Amino acid sequence: MKKFHLDVGIRIPMLYLLFGGLWIIFSDQLLDAFVHNTTDMTRIQSYKGWAFVAASGLLIFLLLRQYLNLQAKIKNQLHESEERLRLAVSAANQGIFDLDVRTGNLVVNDIYAVMLGYDPISFHENVESWLERMHPDDIEIVNEIFKNYIDGKLAEYKVEFRQKTNSGEWKWILSIGQIVERDIAGRPVRLLGTFSDITESKEAEIIRNRLFEDAQRRLKRIASLREIDHEISSTSDFLTTLEKIVQNVMQHLDADAVSILLYDNAEKVFKYAESTGFDTNRIQNARVKMGGSFAGIAAQQRTMLHIRDLENNHIDEAFSSLLREEGIKNYFGMPLISKDTLVGVLELFMRNDINPDKEWLDFYETLAGQAALAIENARLFDGLESANKELSLANTELVAANIHLIEAYDATIESLVQALNLRDYETEDHSRRVSTMMLELSRMMDFTQEEITNIHRGTLLHDIGKMGVPDAILRKPGLLTMEERKIMEQHPIYAFNLLKSIDYLQPALDIPHLHHEKWDGTGYPYGLKGEQIPLSARLFAIVDVYDALSSDRPYRKAWDKEAVFNFIKEQKGKHFDPKVVDVFLEYMHRLGEI
Ligand code: C2E
Ligand code: SIN
Ligand code: SIN
Ligand code: FE
Ligand code: FE
């Protein structure tokens, strides 16, 4: 369309010039050849002039007519597509806008006014009011997309932003538009498009992302606990242990500086032992009496101390001046207590103001608990203190610490599963149903209590690898293509990679990793066969397919009971271990399902 306008603009004068030029050259040559009489020549010259005017007039008329016809046709087509768009959007209850790109005039329909909580009769929109209602965080991106689209750098105009409604809340709007009219030079004149209210799905997406980030952060924190846990049971030297603790604390609690003061029993003071993140080394002179200065107060009260207003704090002028010099805004002191014995204080320093949430505080406390143990243990190995009595004491504490760790791990599993459920749009019912079945079936099959615990964790995490599969595949309403299927079949590997670094979950990996292997060797990811597949994974395969077929999926409706059982019987010895199918059918019989 753009190309055509340019062509016509040039073609008419070009043709005219060409025609005129040829006329001048050839008509005079012809006359010179045949006419020799001067009077004749003058007369003929003036006829020739008339003939030229008539011919070029005709030429211009023909060209203009062709051009105008085309113009009219384009206008008609535009009008039709515009009409179609209007009909489509009003049927879909969408807002519609019509922007004059040159003047910034913006016309919107009633649906848009209502969407934003306004009375359509008194609602008048223009680009200024539209931008005024826009969330400040979205203005830049909207402008950029708009500009790039108008400049032809973007193929489509599609943008999400928040608009303030009449009642003051934010609504997420998706706007899609298209240039429907250009001027003769091809510059955009009109942008026509839609506004859709996507608040609900946007909010769900935000929650999903947040949950996923939470889960990832927790996993990292868990890994850091593991490292300290490992320190406790290892024999590495005291200073390495302290170094690892401050590094972990700094990283996972987002601190700007960290220090550890240790209690010296002989001198009855807390002395500097290790630190990281400070610009000066003044902290190394720290010597604090019980109850004196920040660390001494935290130790005496045996609880965390948080000080934010360092400017107006007069507990310890020297220390406050150190903190000011370092640009510290927040101080945290947590007593390090190992089985009722105070071993020191773990201090965090922040250069920005923070408002810690419960999860952060819990993690700080857990880390401090672990650190106290690691310190005690490393001291024992370093021979700073001795006696068998204390060694066995440390062992009891180790067990206690592990229980604490396991609680933290299980909380992490919970949040991971929650994040996945939200993404997959599977209900929590699904996880719960499958877990219950697995618990009861594994009891019937004489697994030990420890195995059952691991089966339970593995079951909860069985599809955690789907977190690595794009939404477009995971929630596709139709059948998967070969390519998509290939990606989907990576989910057991993703799960393995995600979880393999967590020692504690090692014995629970079989189910997430191998639940899509088949008895006859046609499964994935490895094509394991028969008893190469761990029993727990063979059992889980049946429960998973049973529950999958009994539930609605984005790509199909639930099957009825009879069809499901027929399928499981039919797959006996193919997909499923025949003996395990018998146990499963007996279990279903007991439940009265068959
Ligand atoms: P899922 O929906 O939890 O299904 C788990 C397993 O149950 C499937 O593993 C398959 O063995 C069995 N199953 C589920 N639905 C059917 C069915 O309609 N017919 C039969 N014969 N078996 C069924 P599979 O096939 O390896 O798929 C793994 C995951 O891949 C599925 O988990 C689902 O999330 C996804 N998926 C599989 N096929 C499709 C599809 O055609 N479209 C979409 N959008 N996703 C699919
Ligand atoms: C030409 O014919 O040579 C040009 C214009 C005219 O005849 O008047
Ligand atoms: C704009 O004026 O920047 C874009 C117009 C619209 O999307 O309504
Ligand atoms: Fe799976
Ligand atoms: Fe599943």
Side-chain angles (χ1 to χ4, degrees):
M1 194 159 76
K2 181 174 165 181
K3 206 161 171 251
F4 171 74
H5 287 311
L6 282 176
D7 278 350
V8 166
I10 295 169
R11 209 168 61 196
I12 294 176
M14 292 281 274
L15 275 172
Y16 179 76
L17 278 177
L18 186 73
F19 175 72
L22 290 173
W23 182 280
I24 290 168
I25 294 165
F26 292 112
S27 63
D28 284 346
Q29 277 181 5
L30 273 174
L31 283 184
D32 281 345
F34 297 108
V35 185
H36 305 290
N37 179 312
T38 325
T39 7
D40 281 355
M41 186 63 114
T42 317
R43 200 162 26 96
I44 289 172
Q45 278 286 8
S46 92
Y47 289 152
K48 201 184 81 166
W50 282 110
F52 178 82
V53 170
S56 60
L58 185 68
L59 180 72
I60 290 171
F61 169 74
L62 287 175
L63 283 171
L64 268 178
R65 199 177 59 167
Q66 187 195 11
Y67 169 68
L68 289 174
N69 273 345
L70 259 165
Q71 271 271 331
K73 214 164 114 196
I74 288 165
K75 252 213 150 98
N76 248 334
Q77 280 173 353
L78 265 179
H79 191 71
E80 270 172 34
S81 71
E82 204 181 301
E83 271 310 296
R84 274 200 302 276
L85 178 69
R86 272 185 211 284
L87 278 174
V89 282
S90 63
N93 201 31
Q94 278 178 321
I96 179 166
F97 70 84
D98 189 341
L99 174 75
D100 185 323
V101 179
R102 294 170 302 187
T103 63
N105 263 345
L106 186 62
V107 180
V108 297
N109 68 347
D110 291 357
I111 295 175
Y112 186 59
V114 174
M115 198 182 275
L116 296 180
Y118 290 94
D119 179 0
I121 298 172
S122 54
F123 184 77
H124 295 292
E125 184 75 316
N126 55 49
V127 171
E128 284 79 48
S129 60
W130 179 72
L131 284 172
E132 234 164 65
R133 246 185 287 101
M134 178 92 63
H135 195 289
D137 292 351
D138 300 336
I139 290 181
E140 200 177 319
I141 180 84
V142 169
N143 273 334
E144 194 179 310
I145 291 179
F146 177 74
K147 199 175 164 299
N148 283 339
Y149 176 68
I150 293 297
D151 293 347
K153 288 183 206 141
L154 269 178
E156 60 173 355
Y157 178 76
K158 187 172 177 188
V159 59
E160 292 173 4
F161 50 81
R162 278 157 289 183
Q163 286 271 292
K164 197 180 235 146
T165 63
N166 198 10
S167 52
E169 301 143 33
W170 293 108
K171 264 200 176 171
W172 274 102
I173 306 286
L174 167 70
S175 173
I176 298 177
Q178 200 180 359
I179 293 168
V180 292
E181 195 177 324
R182 292 176 186 274
D183 65 14
I184 197 133
R187 285 180 301 250
V189 171
R190 278 178 70 199
L191 178 66
L192 195 64
T194 58
F195 291 127
S196 326
D197 182 352
I198 53 162
T199 310
E200 256 175 56
S201 61
K202 196 73 191 174
E203 277 166 1
E205 182 191 315
I206 290 168
I207 292 172
R208 270 204 314 276
N209 289 344
R210 204 177 46 225
L211 271 171
F212 185 56
E213 279 162 18
D214 281 357
Q216 279 187 322
R217 200 181 53 243
R218 287 199 186 115
L219 260 185
K220 285 198 193 126
R221 288 181 173 176
I222 292 282
S224 123
L225 281 179
R226 260 304 329 166
E227 199 178 324
I228 297 178
D229 191 35
H230 185 72
E231 270 307 300
I232 297 174
S233 45
S234 82
T235 53
S236 62
D237 69 281
F238 191 54
L239 278 179
T240 318
T241 302
L242 291 184
E243 240 168 62
K244 282 206 178 134
I245 292 171
V246 295
Q247 291 306 339
N248 268 294
V249 169
M250 172 116 149
Q251 186 185 347
H252 294 285
L253 290 173
D254 291 323
D256 293 306
V258 178
S259 73
I260 293 179
L261 307 184
L262 291 180
Y263 194 58
D264 185 323
N265 258 324
E267 294 185 45
K268 305 271 175 247
V269 286
F270 294 90
K271 283 190 197 160
Y272 171 87
E274 180 68 51
S275 72
T276 184
F278 287 99
D279 295 333
T280 67
N281 52 17
R282 290 177 62 182
I283 185 80
Q284 295 181 5
N285 303 321
R287 280 175 74 90
V288 179
K289 282 203 238 56
M290 184 66 90
S293 194
F294 299 176
I297 293 172
Q300 191 176 50
Q301 296 179 347
R302 294 203 161 218
T303 60
M304 190 193 80
L305 178 72
H306 179 193
I307 294 178
R308 11 172 131 247
D309 192 10
L310 288 163
E311 288 294 321
N312 299 309
N313 195 292
H314 304 294
I315 295 174
D316 183 340
E317 290 300 343
F319 192 49
S320 297
S321 102
L322 183 164
L323 296 183
R324 274 194 295 275
E325 189 185 339
E326 289 276 350
I328 304 291
K329 293 247 172 65
N330 276 241
Y331 167 93
F332 293 87
M334 179 80 82
L336 291 167
I337 299 169
S338 163
K339 187 89 183 183
D340 280 349
T341 314
L342 190 69
V343 295
V345 178
L346 175 64
E347 301 179 295
L348 307 189
F349 306 84
M350 313 284 185
R351 294 200 166 91
N352 291 311
D353 265 320
I354 81 155
N355 277 314
D357 58 11
K358 185 170 179 313
E359 201 193 312
W360 188 92
L361 292 168
D362 285 350
F363 189 62
Y364 185 17
E365 211 175 313
T366 309
L367 270 175
Q370 294 292 104
L373 267 175
I375 289 166
E376 265 305 274
N377 223 38
R379 266 188 174 171
L380 289 177
F381 279 114
D382 261 20
L384 290 175
E385 286 171 49
S386 53
N388 272 333
K389 197 185 86 201
E390 289 190 51
L391 245 176
S392 70
L393 196 82
N395 264 330
T396 342
E397 286 169 24
L398 251 173
V399 173
N402 267 323
I403 292 173
H404 205 119
L405 263 185
I406 284 168
E407 279 166 10
Y409 286 144
D410 282 340
T412 302
I413 294 179
E414 282 297 320
S415 64
L416 275 171
V417 170
Q418 221 187 334
L420 178 70
N421 284 345
L422 264 170
R423 245 201 95 199
D424 201 5
Y425 278 6
E426 281 197 62
T427 56
E428 286 184 43
D429 288 357
H430 167 72
S431 303
R432 215 183 33 238
R433 267 195 319 265
V434 177
S435 295
T436 313
M437 279 191 269
M438 283 300 285
L439 224 53
E440 289 170 355
L441 277 159
S442 47
R443 286 201 187 112
M444 279 171 71
M445 290 172 68
D446 302 323
F447 284 103
T448 66
Q449 186 49 49
E450 200 189 330
E451 285 167 334
I452 291 176
T453 304
N454 285 318
I455 287 174
H456 180 63
R457 292 188 184 131
T459 301
L460 286 177
L461 292 169
H462 78 272
D463 269 341
I464 202 70
K466 282 183 182 172
M467 287 227 238
V469 177
D471 262 2
I473 298 177
L474 202 57
R475 302 226 291 267
K476 183 175 171 176
L479 292 181
L480 300 182
T481 65
M482 293 275 277
E483 284 299 303
E484 293 165 338
R485 176 95 209 159
K486 253 200 212 145
I487 295 169
M488 183 54 109
E489 289 186 358
Q490 295 294 307
H491 79 274
I493 306 259
Y494 293 152
F496 180 74
N497 289 336
L498 181 74
L499 304 174
K500 70 174 177 212
S501 58
I502 302 173
D503 285 0
Y504 149 86
L505 289 174
Q506 292 308 305
L509 268 178
D510 283 345
I511 290 176
H513 194 195
L514 303 171
H515 70 283
H516 285 294
E517 298 291 354
K518 294 185 180 178
W519 181 254
D520 62 7
T522 61
Y524 61 90
Y526 307 111
L528 300 181
K529 207 170 173 168
E531 293 186 356
Q532 287 179 321
I533 308 163
L535 184 58
S536 61
R538 277 181 269 151
L539 171 62
F540 182 78
I542 303 175
V543 173
D544 189 35
V545 172
Y546 168 78
D547 199 79
L549 293 178
S550 312
S551 318
D552 287 337
R553 283 287 183 263
Y555 54 99
R556 56 148 179 80
K557 281 264 157 217
W559 293 15
D560 64 40
K561 256 189 218 170
E562 209 184 305
V564 177
F565 287 123
N566 283 339
F567 181 78
I568 289 177
K569 286 178 203 158
E570 190 258 320
Q571 290 293 319
K572 194 170 161 176
K574 295 179 195 163
H575 188 156
F576 308 126
D577 177 349
K579 285 198 199 122
V580 184
V581 170
D582 290 340
V583 178
F584 179 79
L585 293 175
E586 191 201 320
Y587 169 71
M588 283 295 158
H589 200 75
R590 273 196 214 169
L591 287 186
E593 294 285 324
I594 315 179

